[in-house]
């Protein structure tokens, strides 16, 4: 059996045999191409072919590799150790049961694939978000929840969206909340902020459990939200989230965003917190009797919300089924800031929440807040600083990537590039452990990096910021005018939200 | 019969009865709308409705106008004088037979419609051009010539493209020639620069003659080409264009662009001049016996090429058929610079070429070159300056528009906005004569102004620069990669070009 150089053990889009003959940019077939000595994609060889396009080089390398039976044999040997593991057998380990000990260096290939898969679910929050202030639907999701994954070409992930999440803020956050310029808008104060998705039956069988996944949207280009949101540490119980210890504190801005609501608007009738708790309750009840997992992902600010919601779900006990089964709760986050103090970290650990934070060492966001007083400070000093509002602590385990290791990326010091989520997924794909050479493991398309950035080296000829709608969503109406079409009724909250809220003892009086 | 407030006498897209009920932005229907006292679109009323969208206001106004039978009657009375004229009867007049005397102030409605129609053919050169340096086909037309008008939604114009035009330059013109970053490109030095189109039989019947139309592309955003191209006046005969008088001079940059070629590339084997002359010869022969017109249009630099080619066609005598019939040659141009000296102007007049130049008084391009010595200088002084390289003269008749008269447009002094072709077409639609109120005559969609500019006032809620391709033309291939698809073979030159060139005595020896 011929093994593609991109073959992985997980169901990522693979090159079909027919597509091997497809040469996307005819005429640019390099004849003097150096074939790497192993059949993995040697980025050094790619890099040296500056006169050709990314895609054609990759295709060419792959075509050649088909003729290299010896190499394929070797590749098969390399893969053998992993071939025998099935995701359904090892998912608890990959979700942090043992705090990822021994899985990060060298990088475990199955874990890498899982991280990319959840990262793509977080990326979907950006790809689907309507950023355009000239759009009447600015701040909403561009698709109805039923067509979410198919619209994004992600139907193969095998999940369905069970609920959209909205957030509002009682303080003005222009760098996070996008507002339409239209006088009458779908919502005055709310923004779409993510979704809850559930694995379908087929995927559930493959994953070894029914996976309830939450993806929180962050911010993309502007980093000003760090300043907007990071103010001071505040007891988590201050916003009516149950917590036995008043010294457990989190960043007030994140907490408010998680609990704020505005009952004058149907999208923010319920806080993000109320939405997530009722939905988790509903889903855990619905799938009681099945093996379950709760996996929360998010990029940037979304990472902070992922950690807060993981805390809340476990502290509230929603991850315990009626028959006493404890559903593992994991956070797989990207480019996230610190969220709370050491007590928060300790409480989260005692609740059994597992957090793996993927970061780029050149990104400033994971260094915020708490530049001076953080988990790196000597414990005695930290003890002293505990009462101070800036003694933040990261939670969980950190996986450090370095964008300077990728030969595909520009050597830029642009903080927005360093923070980009697609770049993190690209870096993950090439990461094999500290000091290991950068080699694309799955062949995940590097062109995705430039979806909303100008980070790929120019000679790969991928247009910067290429994700865009035709004519900014304007269409020509029957009468020849260019208009923004109406969308189907936007999803708001399920009718039984209040019912579940009441059962949780969280229903408001009015 | 109910008359739409947008009804015109010419075949522009009209609102169908069914579309009157279509309210493009549901929920934004203003209840306190002031209905103008006439049934024309009162822009003052539009303007005052800052809280609502452009399209819904227009739709609303129109809906209301249906109930105003009296007003409709008045509108019918107003239209009566024009109703009786048919384009097929008056086209010679509209094409400058009498130098447009009496047609510009007040503005003749049929002439206005015709100018907009040809302006749209010039605009098509921008809409179809591939500007993206990351595109392999940068500098080409995005469509094959057979699908040109249908691809642009202009099939209703009733023309077919008979030939694409390409230009090359022996000097470096980075602000005009767009180059792909790809290592192997469709053409090293040539750019698509326009097309020749011919009216189909049905349109020919309506127009009263077979119309051979030439549209030359100009530049869109950067105005640096003025500096790049405008150098000095040069005898037109210097580039082997026949001219009995060596004192007839034109701007050297325009002349070179018109006559340069590069035989190493199949797109620039023939100069723009050779392409246009052979095509006009072929078409005049093909349609001999029919009544014909040659109408040349262009915006900006395209206006200069329009004037040069009109001169060349008439000087070469290609507009005279075998049986001695003289085909009228007109130039309807937009935002064009001066092209030559007074002698050139006189020669053009003596050849019977009719030129109507539509300009915006705030645009700097029509003031170039020749800021000091031009047609406004006293004849005696001009006589003295004739030997100097900067004594330029405009040709033909100028129709002056003023973007400050349109309540739709921002009060900007941005020179790129003032030069925008779509803005000129919008201004034409509202122009009724000097001192007349700005009233949209056909209801031509003002949203078009923002196609490639940020010129419409923000409260009309039309996104700026909205003309764009989905994902910058990237598509997802079968193997899941994002690629730029291959295009069908690009059109180059018809095989009989050399044959016609030989007949014209212009074939090169090798």
């Amino acid at each position: 059996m011929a093994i593609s150089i991109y073959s992985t053990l997980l169901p990522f889009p693979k090159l079909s045999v027919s597509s091997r003959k497809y040469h996307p940019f005819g005429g640019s077939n390099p004849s003097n191409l150096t074939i790497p000595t192993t059949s993995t994609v040697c980025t050094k060889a790619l890099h040296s072919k500056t006169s050709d396009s990314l895609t054609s080089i990759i295709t060419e390398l792959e075509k050649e590799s088909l003729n290299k039976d010896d190499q394929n044999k070797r590749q098969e040997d390399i893969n053998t150790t992993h071939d025998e593991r099935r995701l359904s057998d090892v998912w608890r380990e990959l979700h942090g049961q043992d705090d990822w000990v021994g899985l990060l260096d060298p990088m475990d290939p199955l874990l890498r694939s899982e991280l990319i898969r959840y990262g793509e679910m977080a990326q979907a929050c950006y790809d689907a978000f309507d950023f355009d202030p000239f759009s009447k639907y600015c701040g909403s999701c561009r698709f109805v929840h039923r067509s979410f994954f198919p619209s994004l070409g992600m139907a193969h992930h095998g999940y369905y969206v069970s609920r959209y999440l909205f957030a509002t803020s009682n303080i003005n956050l222009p760098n996070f909340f996008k507002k339409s310029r239209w006088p009458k808008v779908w919502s005055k104060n709310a923004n779409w902020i993510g979704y809850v998705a559930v694995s379908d039956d087929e995927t559930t069988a493959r994953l070894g459990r029914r996976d309830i996944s939450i993806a929180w949207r962050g911010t993309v280009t502007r980093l000003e939200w760090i300043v907007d949101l990071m103010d001071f540490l505040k007891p988590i119980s201050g916003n009516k989230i149950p917590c036995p210890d008043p010294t457990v504190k989190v960043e007030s801005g994140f907490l408010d965003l998680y609990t704020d609501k505005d009952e004058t608007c149907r999208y923010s009738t319920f806080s993000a917190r109320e939405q997530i708790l009722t939905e988790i309750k509903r889903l855990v009840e619905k799938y009681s009797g099945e093996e379950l997992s709760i996996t929360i992902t998010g990029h940037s600010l979304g990472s902070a919300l992922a950690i807060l919601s993981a805390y809340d779900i476990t502290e509230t006990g929603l991850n315990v089924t009626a028959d006493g089964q404890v559903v593992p709760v994991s956070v797989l986050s990207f480019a996230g800031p610190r969220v709370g103090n050491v007590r928060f970290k300790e409480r989260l650990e005692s609740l059994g929440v597992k957090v793996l934070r993927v970061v780029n060492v050149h990104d400033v966001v994971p260094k915020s807040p708490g530049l001076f007083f953080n988990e790196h400070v000597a414990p005695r000093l930290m003890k002293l600083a505990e009462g101070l509002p800036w003694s933040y602590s990261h939670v969980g385990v950190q996986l450090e990537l370095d964008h300077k290791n990728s030969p595909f990326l520009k050597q830029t010091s642009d903080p927005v590039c360093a923070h980009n989520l697609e770049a993190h997924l690209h870096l993950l794909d090439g990461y094999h452990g500290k000091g290991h050479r950068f080699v694309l493991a799955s062949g995940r398309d590097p062109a995705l990096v430039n979806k909303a950035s100008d980070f790929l080296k120019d000679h790969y000829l991928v247009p910067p910021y290429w994700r865009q709608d035709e004519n900014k969503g304007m269409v020509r109406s029957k009468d020849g005018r260019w208009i923004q079409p109406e969308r189907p009724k936007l999803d708001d909250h399920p009718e039984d939200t209040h019912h579940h809220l009441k059962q949780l003892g969280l229903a408001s009086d009015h």
Side-chain angles (χ1 to χ4, degrees), chain A residues 230-401:
Chain A
M230 295 184 191
D231 199 0
F232 58 92
L233 285 166
K234 174 178 177 177
I236 205 163
S237 53
N239 284 29
K240 296 185 190 164
I241 297 182
C243 186
D245 179 354
T247 66
V248 171
K249 292 179 185 175
V250 292
E251 169 49 52
S252 63
F254 301 151
L255 192 58
D256 291 346
L257 189 60
Y258 184 61
T259 59
D260 276 354
K261 56 178 160 178
D262 174 358
E263 293 182 9
T264 64
C265 164
R266 68 183 169 110
Y267 295 95
S268 45
T269 312
F270 303 106
S271 66
R273 172 176 197 236
E274 288 170 347
Q275 295 166 57
I276 204 67
L277 292 188
T278 52
E279 188 62 7
I280 293 299
K281 176 180 174 293
R282 193 182 70 80
L283 291 172
V284 169
E285 281 171 8
K286 179 174 177 182
Y287 294 108
S288 68
E290 294 191 35
E291 186 141 28
L292 294 174
S293 66
I294 297 173
T295 317
I296 315 182
T297 187
H299 168 252
S300 185
L301 173 56
S303 166
L305 292 171
I307 289 167
L308 264 188
S309 56
Y311 166 84
D312 199 10
I313 289 165
T314 48
E315 185 73 84
T316 318
L318 285 180
N319 66 322
V320 182
T321 63
D323 57 1
Q325 187 203 334
V326 177
V327 179
V329 177
S330 328
V331 174
L332 305 175
S333 86
F334 300 84
R338 295 188 182 90
V339 175
N341 62 3
V342 180
R343 293 290 167 91
F344 175 69
K345 168 191 143 79
E346 290 163 357
R347 182 75 196 157
L348 204 63
E349 283 168 358
S350 74
L351 290 167
V353 175
K354 300 296 182 182
V355 181
L356 179 58
R357 290 176 300 97
V358 179
V359 302
N360 172 10
V361 294
H362 304 286
D363 182 13
V364 296
V365 173
K367 300 188 175 84
S368 314
L371 201 59
F372 302 112
F373 284 95
N374 57 43
E375 66 282 354
H376 299 306
V377 169
R380 269 191 57 199
L381 197 61
M382 199 64 186
K383 193 81 195 157
L384 281 171
E386 240 163 48
L388 301 174
W390 52 77
S391 61
Y392 290 85
S393 173
H394 262 313
V395 299
V397 174
Q398 183 159 294
L399 172 58
E400 285 187 0
L401 307 172

Side-chain angles (χ1 to χ4, degrees), chain A residues 3-7 35-42 61-62 64-66 68-79 437 439-441:
Chain A
I3 301 279
S4 157
I5 52 167
Y6 294 123
S7 69
I35 304 301
T37 49
T38 77
S39 62
T40 49
V41 182
C42 172
L61 279 169
E62 190 207 29
E64 296 289 335
S65 79
L66 281 177
K68 305 268 167 181
D69 282 343
D70 292 352
Q71 287 179 17
N72 289 336
K73 188 71 194 62
R74 280 174 56 194
Q75 184 63 35
E76 272 184 283
D77 294 343
I78 291 166
N79 286 338
R437 199 160 56 113
V439 177
L440 292 182

Side-chain angles (χ1 to χ4, degrees), chain A residues 484-495:
Chain A
Q484 292 189 34
E486 283 293 316
R487 290 202 198 144
K489 186 181 164 292
L490 267 63
D491 304 294
D492 52 1
H493 305 295
E495 283 179 13

Side-chain angles (χ1 to χ4, degrees), chain A residues 12 109-123 154 157 332 334 358 424-430 441-442 444:
Chain A
F12 280 96
L110 268 182
L111 175 61
R112 184 199 298 112
S113 299
E114 284 296 272
L115 286 174
I116 291 176
R117 188 165 69 84
Y118 286 104
E120 286 179 346
M121 289 173 85
Q123 176 65 36
M154 290 173 72
H157 277 239
L332 305 175
F334 300 84
V358 179
H424 282 68
L425 304 184
H426 164 75
L427 293 177
L428 264 179
D429 198 30
S442 77
R444 188 175 190 279

Side-chain angles (χ1 to χ4, degrees), chain A residues 77-95:
Chain A
D77 294 343
I78 291 166
N79 286 338
T80 307
T81 44
H82 308 307
D83 263 340
E84 287 162 7
R85 292 190 307 159
R86 288 192 313 166
L87 194 53
S88 55
D89 297 327
V90 297
W91 71 268
R92 285 178 180 275
E93 210 181 305
L94 302 184
H95 281 240

